[in-house]
Amino acid sequence: MSLADLTSLPGVTATPDAATHGFVFNHTMIRVRDLDVSLDFYTRVLGFTPVYKHVYAEAAFTIVYLVLVADQSVIPDDDAARKQWALSQPGVLELTHNHGTEKEPDFAYHNGNSEPRGFGHLCVSVPDVNAACARFEALGVTFQKRLSDGRMRHIAFIRDPDQYWIEILQPTPLAG
Amino acid sequence: MSLADLTSLPGVTATPDAATHGFVFNHTMIRVRDLDVSLDFYTRVLGFTPVYKHVYAEAAFTIVYLVLVADQSVIPDDDAARKQWALSQPGVLELTHNHGTEKEPDFAYHNGNSEPRGFGHLCVSVPDVNAACARFEALGVTFQKRLSDGRMRHIAFIRDPDQYWIEILQPTPLAG
């Protein structure tokens, strides 16, 4: 579908209001049961870097912002500058940890893909989906859908420690 | 907290594995009841542009990818190039519409902020949070939390047509 057709779809405002200039789709927030376990997954398995943390002691929760950058040298060193930078980037992941859930063995968050449904998944695009999935297998990552499952052989879904689904795909056509 | 302290948090892999080089946190997917209504909201109110649409006729659902860019001229014209570009960007929003839900008056998705909880919100950062919220008021947007509500006077939350929460904040300190 051409861009002209897309911007002519029912409901679509073809040219954004000038008042939205500078708006950035900054982050997506998910709640996690055990912050340490989630930080391990997102940094070790997927390559994210934490860039901001704040503990709301009175309300008993902590938030961490993470970014996925090819080069950590783009992250400002100065704390105030880094926070401002983090809030100006697209594609930030916010983890919220309500204190104590990590100590409740049966505690679980809802990933949105069974009733009641809503949120579906995050997606990390990768240069080589076959290589990425082979590495996830080697790391013992849980798959929701392997490349070989079902009819869509070009995408996979893995699950994070809270069972949220993460789509894995490559932007370019697959060889062969 | 310094970047060195952040990358020393329990669980954190300080230096991302080279195998994650080129990984991009590409998109977040949410299900929407009425695609036209959601496209109106995300393009007119927030300034997104749809860049890809695919109808899965047999499975009876449609997906649309939207981006929030300051300048639409960065979006490739060619369909294949645009799809590849969209899957390479951070901060893409994917809307999934299961056909027919728009005709069910009582149909509703779950926004994750009541039990069972999980996903929390999206966030759009804006150059001027006061101006943005005044415009949302003028447009009749539903607020979950106005700037004046509660103790956090620098952030607001609006609700999209499916009642998903969207945080609105500005990266820079607020004047006065």
Side-chain angles (χ1 to χ4, degrees), chain A residues 1 28 31 82 113 125, chain B residues 1 28 31 82 87 113 125:
Chain A
M1 186 177 284
T28 296
R31 297 174 179 88
R82 190 174 59 257
N113 294 307
S125 71
Chain B
M1 186 176 284
T28 296
R31 299 174 177 87
R82 191 173 59 256
L87 294 175
N113 294 306
S125 71

Side-chain angles (χ1 to χ4, degrees), chain B residues 97-168:
Chain B
H97 173 232
N98 289 301
H99 301 166
T101 54
E102 74 284 5
K103 295 173 192 152
E104 301 176 37
D106 295 332
F107 186 91
Y109 281 118
H110 178 64
N111 74 9
N113 294 306
S114 57
E115 296 301 333
R117 294 193 300 171
F119 166 73
H121 59 259
L122 309 177
C123 172
V124 171
S125 71
V126 302
D128 182 333
V129 72
N130 285 296
C133 288
R135 176 172 166 273
F136 295 147
E137 293 279 7
L139 293 174
V141 171
T142 303
F143 279 78
Q144 172 65 27
K145 178 208 171 300
R146 288 184 167 79
L147 291 170
S148 56
D149 295 333
R151 284 181 301 184
M152 298 176 80
R153 300 302 176 92
H154 59 294
I155 58 172
F157 283 86
I158 59 175
R159 284 193 255 143
D160 93 341
D162 288 280
Q163 312 303 321
Y164 293 112
W165 294 7
I166 303 169
E167 183 176 7
I168 307 295

Side-chain angles (χ1 to χ4, degrees), chain A residues 1 11 13-14 24 26-29 31 40 43-44 72 82 87 110 112-113 117-121 123 125 167, chain B residues 1 11 13-14 24 26-29 31 40 43-44 72 82 87 110 112-113 117-118 120-121 123 125 164:
Chain A
M1 186 177 284
T13 296
V24 173
N26 174 244
H27 71 247
T28 296
M29 187 281 265
R31 297 174 179 88
D40 168 62
T43 62
R44 179 176 53 85
Q72 287 184 320
R82 190 174 59 257
L87 295 174
H110 178 65
N113 294 307
R117 293 194 300 171
F119 166 72
H121 59 259
C123 173
S125 71
E167 185 176 6
Chain B
M1 186 176 284
T13 295
V24 173
N26 175 245
H27 71 247
T28 296
M29 187 281 264
R31 299 174 177 87
D40 167 62
T43 63
R44 179 176 55 85
Q72 286 183 322
R82 191 173 59 256
L87 294 175
H110 178 64
N113 294 306
R117 294 193 300 171
H121 59 259
C123 172
S125 71
Y164 293 112

Side-chain angles (χ1 to χ4, degrees), chain A residues 18 49 66 68 80 152:
Chain A
T49 300
L66 300 106
L68 193 44
M152 298 174 79

Side-chain angles (χ1 to χ4, degrees), chain A residues 1-7 9, chain B residues 51-55 77-79 82:
Chain A
M1 186 177 284
S2 74
L3 188 56
D5 287 342
L6 286 159
T7 55
L9 288 171
Chain B
V51 289
Y52 178 72
K53 176 183 175 179
H54 191 76
V55 179
D77 259 333
D78 176 73
D79 291 359
R82 191 173 59 256

Side-chain angles (χ1 to χ4, degrees), chain A:
Chain A
M1 186 177 284
S2 74
L3 188 56
D5 287 342
L6 286 159
T7 55
S8 305
L9 288 171
V12 170
T13 296
T15 303
D17 187 338
T20 66
H21 187 86
F23 282 22
V24 173
F25 176 19
N26 174 244
H27 71 247
T28 296
M29 187 281 265
I30 54 172
R31 297 174 179 88
V32 300
R33 174 181 173 274
D34 188 320
L35 186 59
D36 300 357
V37 170
S38 293
L39 287 175
D40 168 62
F41 177 83
Y42 283 100
T43 62
R44 179 176 53 85
V45 176
L46 291 177
F48 281 82
T49 300
V51 290
Y52 178 73
K53 176 183 175 178
H54 192 76
V55 179
Y56 293 87
E58 199 175 326
F61 72 96
T62 296
I63 64 171
V64 176
Y65 289 165
L66 300 106
V67 298
L68 193 44
V69 290
D71 175 4
Q72 287 184 320
S73 73
V74 302
I75 302 171
D77 259 332
D78 175 75
D79 291 358
R82 190 174 59 257
K83 184 180 179 186
Q84 185 170 325
W85 175 85
L87 295 174
S88 305
Q89 303 303 304
V92 174
L93 177 64
E94 177 182 0
L95 304 180
T96 293
H97 172 233
N98 290 301
H99 302 165
T101 54
E102 75 283 6
K103 296 174 192 150
E104 301 176 37
D106 295 332
F107 186 90
Y109 281 118
H110 178 65
N111 75 9
N113 294 307
S114 57
E115 296 302 330
R117 293 194 300 171
F119 166 72
H121 59 259
L122 309 177
C123 173
V124 171
S125 71
V126 302
D128 182 333
V129 72
N130 285 296
C133 288
R135 177 172 166 273
F136 296 146
E137 293 280 7
L139 293 174
V141 171
T142 304
F143 278 78
Q144 172 65 29
K145 178 208 173 301
R146 289 185 166 78
L147 291 170
S148 55
D149 295 333
R151 283 181 301 184
M152 298 174 79
R153 300 301 176 94
H154 59 294
I155 59 171
F157 283 86
I158 59 175
R159 285 192 255 145
D160 92 342
D162 287 280
Q163 312 303 321
Y164 293 112
W165 293 7
I166 302 168
E167 185 176 6
I168 308 294
L169 55 74
Q170 72 180 53
T172 49
L174 269 69

